[in-house]
Amino acid sequence: MAKITFVTSDGERTTVEAESGTVMALAVENNIKGIDGDCGGVCSCATCHVFVEPEDIETTGRASDIEEDMLELDDNANEYSRLSCQLEIDDSLDGIVLQVAK
């Protein structure tokens, strides 16, 4: 079971738990403000953009080429940007903190 904390742009922190699925689906199911998942998780809209804390980037890994292509359209993207639809939940994600992009 992984506990994942989301921090919204207004500073609200919400910690939720899951065993599997994607981080985006978990966020949508728990009404995390700022995570829309408009494309349904097929990496084609970037409405699930999050920033991984620097200390957690080795756990999540860096964005794939397809993610980077989508993130190039967002002026706020940086080296810690990920699309949460591309983050598969497993025990290794337990305790990570994700800042929801504006």
Side-chain angles (χ1 to χ4, degrees):
M1 178 88 51
K3 289 184 182 180
I4 298 171
T5 300
F6 295 92
V7 182
T8 61
S9 60
D10 59 6
E12 182 180 336
R13 296 175 71 90
T14 304
T15 301
V16 291
E17 296 180 26
E19 291 183 19
S20 62
T22 67
V23 171
M24 182 212 70
L26 179 66
V28 170
E29 289 167 9
N30 288 279
N31 299 310
I32 303 298
K33 183 180 171 186
I35 303 280
D36 298 326
D38 289 343
C39 73
V42 296
C43 198
S44 67
C45 73
T47 61
C48 64
H49 181 189
V50 295
F51 299 104
V52 178
E53 294 292 318
E55 59 270 17
D56 293 327
I57 198 68
E58 287 196 25
T59 300
T60 63
R62 301 238 179 237
S64 67
D65 289 342
I66 194 168
E67 278 180 86
E68 286 183 6
D69 288 346
M70 287 306 306
L71 289 165
E72 283 178 5
L73 304 173
D74 188 332
D75 293 336
N76 297 316
N78 65 31
E79 64 186 303
Y80 302 108
S81 291
R82 290 296 309 265
L83 297 179
S84 60
C85 67
Q86 299 301 296
L87 294 171
E88 289 290 332
I89 297 171
D90 62 26
D91 290 342
S92 71
L93 296 187
D94 187 43
I96 66 167
V97 176
L98 302 170
Q99 177 74 42
V100 178
K102 292 182 182 179

